[in-house]
Amino acid sequence: MLHKIIYSSLLLCALSSPCLAADLNDGINKKLKKANHSVSEKVITWRRHLHQYPELSNREFETAKYITKHLKSLGLEVQTGVAHTGVVAKLKGGKKGPLVALRADMDALPVTELVDLPFASTQTSTYRGNKVGVMHACGHDNHVAILMAVAESLVKIQDALAGDVLFIFQPAEEGAPEGEEGGAELMLKEGLFKLKPAAVFGLHVTSSLNTGKIGFREGPFMASEDSFTINVQGRQTHGSRPWNGVDPIVTSSQIIMATQTISSRQVDVTKAPSVISFGAINGGVRSNIIPDSVELIGTIRTFDQTMRADIKKRLVKTAELVAESAGAKADVHIHHGYPVTVNDVQLTQLMTPTLEKVAGADNIITTDLITGAEDFSYYALETPGLFFFLGVTPQGKNAKSAASNHSPQFYADEKALQLGVNAMTNLVVDFFAKTHDVTHIQEE
């Protein structure tokens, strides 16, 4: 309730008259600019080290040690081993104020790097029983380096900060190994937000935007992600006599087609888009044998939590009843994944001027809805969150044709790192200043 009062007051203040924050922030902004400049070379060094030595989800042991050593050198309170390998540090500001959380994810992907860099990864590991290359193909090395720099910058202006900062270095954003827990959900389960932050901020590099650009949208931003398995049980028979058995292949095709009407005909398409996609069909061994069973696997993506729950119920019902009508049986298992990532509308409106300040208003992009998923969503369910994308395709190159995140050819322009540092530090300082503004007004 408090954050709603703060945001409403701030928005009213901004519309009616100049706020006090600009005056209060003038001195600290000069200090912050100097502090940010002092880490401009360090952030590149950190990023190159992290890029060269990536680690898979829940296995970020050396990464955690690297981060911890830096945070302790800054004199911060550091907690390690959170959600297996996570690192959390707290900075106490010199003045009383709210707690703000900043998050960076640490894990890499089972991808063999194909980018010609002097610090390219040559690391290997085991993934699902197979030897694989390991690469920061999603850019999490950039996120960690940026947050390490943000921590150092904010420590340098610690006495001037009107609030506290929680630095979250999170493992397993790409998903915990099979049979394990991890990521944001486990960090929260272990009490990460015991002292509830007033806001949480996070960023993600993307090749779909050029260096210097920042992209985001208010409200639903990235989709929820749920995977499913449907086992269709029929009765095996000779392919020349299908009436002697129950064909799970034909039944599976009917289930696939029937479920496509859930998004197109059964839920309100004007409220939010949704997708049900099948990624694999496994069943049968030869042309003249109708098998006993077929396995279907797929994914559900939505942008509304209520719709998400509704679609999952409809998927189960549709599969079971279609199978029953054919004399077969469908056993549906839904593997619940990440929720919808939602940027709090009032927080986003409040902090958009800060992002315009650091990047330039012309470089702020209102992105389309993104059907990819992010476990930052768990934090934003607990407290108002703002998540944004940082462009890393070099200027002059076509971002639309650049190798995407998760590609072995994914490339991040290091010139973008400083904008990430500037954005995150300024979000913290400006949030504190604006919160101080409202507190002062209310006290008056």
Side-chain angles (χ1 to χ4, degrees), residues 237-441:
T237 185
H238 196 286
S240 65
R241 295 184 295 278
W243 52 85
N244 282 347
V246 176
D247 192 335
I249 292 179
V250 171
T251 303
S252 294
S253 69
Q254 293 171 334
I255 289 173
I256 291 170
M257 295 307 295
T259 55
Q260 299 311 299
T261 67
I262 295 174
S263 292
S264 66
R265 292 294 182 272
Q266 298 180 40
V267 296
D268 187 351
V269 297
T270 66
K271 185 176 183 180
S274 60
V275 172
I276 300 174
S277 294
F278 287 81
I281 307 173
N282 301 307
V285 293
R286 58 178 289 155
S287 63
N288 64 347
I289 299 176
I290 292 173
D292 255 343
S293 62
V294 170
E295 179 191 63
L296 309 174
I297 59 175
T299 187
I300 306 167
R301 306 290 169 125
T302 66
F303 291 92
D304 180 88
Q305 287 293 92
T306 302
M307 184 182 289
R308 177 192 185 198
D310 184 36
I311 288 176
K312 287 190 277 190
K313 290 179 181 178
R314 290 177 184 273
L315 177 70
V316 173
K317 184 176 181 180
T318 298
E320 289 179 346
L321 292 181
V322 168
E324 183 182 346
S325 72
K329 181 180 179 181
D331 188 12
V332 184
H333 296 276
I334 295 179
H335 314 284
H336 306 288
Y338 298 160
V340 181
T341 302
V342 179
N343 279 338
D344 182 87
V345 174
Q346 290 180 313
L347 178 63
T348 303
Q349 292 175 356
L350 180 66
M351 304 315 300
T352 294
T354 295
L355 296 177
E356 291 176 342
K357 176 182 69 176
V358 298
D362 292 342
N363 290 317
I364 300 300
I365 309 298
T366 300
T367 66
D368 295 329
L369 290 169
I370 297 171
T371 48
E374 240 290 346
D375 79 346
F376 181 87
S377 54
Y378 287 110
Y379 302 125
L381 286 176
E382 297 293 323
T383 197
L386 172 57
F387 191 73
F388 61 94
F389 281 96
L390 181 71
V392 291
T393 291
Q395 293 181 5
K397 292 193 175 182
N398 188 348
K400 292 182 179 180
S401 61
S404 67
N405 296 57
H406 287 220
S407 163
Q409 295 177 318
F410 174 75
Y411 174 79
D413 182 8
E414 292 176 338
K415 293 179 181 177
L417 295 175
Q418 192 61 45
L419 178 58
V421 175
N422 294 343
M424 292 292 269
T425 54
N426 276 274
L427 284 170
V428 171
V429 168
D430 287 358
F431 183 85
F432 286 158
K434 292 176 179 181
T435 304
H436 180 278
D437 231 14
V438 172
T439 304
H440 180 84
I441 291 169

Side-chain angles (χ1 to χ4, degrees), residues 28-36 154 157 425-426 429:
I28 193 173
N29 278 336
K30 291 178 181 177
K31 294 178 181 178
L32 180 61
K33 186 175 181 180
K34 183 178 179 181
N36 285 346
L154 293 180
I157 61 167
T425 54
N426 276 274
V429 168

Side-chain angles (χ1 to χ4, degrees), residues 90-95 97-101 161-166 428 432:
K90 186 177 179 183
L91 169 64
K92 294 186 70 67
K95 302 174 184 178
L99 174 66
V100 170
L161 293 178
D164 302 336
V165 186
L166 190 69
V428 171
F432 286 158

